[in-house]
Amino acid sequence: MPPAGGRSQPGLALAGRRAAVSIPTNIAEGSAKRGSREFRRYLDIALGSLAELTYLLRLACDLGYLEQNEFERVEQARDEAGRHVWRLYESLRPPPS
């Protein structure tokens, strides 16, 4: 929902879509790389995109482009995805020497 005045923020929406698409894209690309070290690097990028998406969602809510209840619904799904990516990232950690 646009804030008072009916203005929208296509740049904010585009940045959010790019961050959201970047998450599974980096996971898919990383899974095709050779070795867990490379895969972890791409998972790290996906985790960064999750953090970026969190910020953009919060900003959209703070600016009135996203209602609080909708933010909470989307943030819950984003948080669950983040936990899955983090567990995958941790599972690829090299064993201690």
Side-chain angles (χ1 to χ4, degrees):
M1 166 157 82
R7 295 178 297 126
S8 66
Q9 286 291 339
L12 181 61
L14 179 60
R17 282 192 294 273
R18 281 200 328 244
V21 168
S22 175
I23 299 160
T25 301
N26 276 292
I27 294 169
E29 186 175 354
S31 70
K33 299 294 181 180
R34 295 181 186 208
S36 59
R37 184 174 180 213
E38 273 293 290
F39 190 13
R40 277 185 61 132
R41 189 169 74 82
Y42 281 85
L43 290 172
D44 190 43
I45 295 167
L47 289 165
S49 295
L50 279 159
E52 179 182 0
L53 184 58
T54 298
Y55 167 74
L56 292 168
L57 289 169
R58 172 48 59 196
L59 180 61
C61 187
D62 290 348
L63 293 174
Y65 294 104
L66 185 63
E67 293 183 19
Q68 183 65 34
N69 64 336
E70 189 65 13
F71 167 79
E72 290 169 4
R73 186 185 68 76
V74 174
E75 178 58 16
Q76 182 178 10
R78 192 229 44 89
D79 186 57
E80 183 178 348
R83 284 194 305 273
H84 288 295
V85 176
W86 180 254
R87 282 195 292 268
L88 180 55
Y89 179 84
E90 285 293 303
S91 75
L92 297 171
R93 181 182 296 273
S97 304

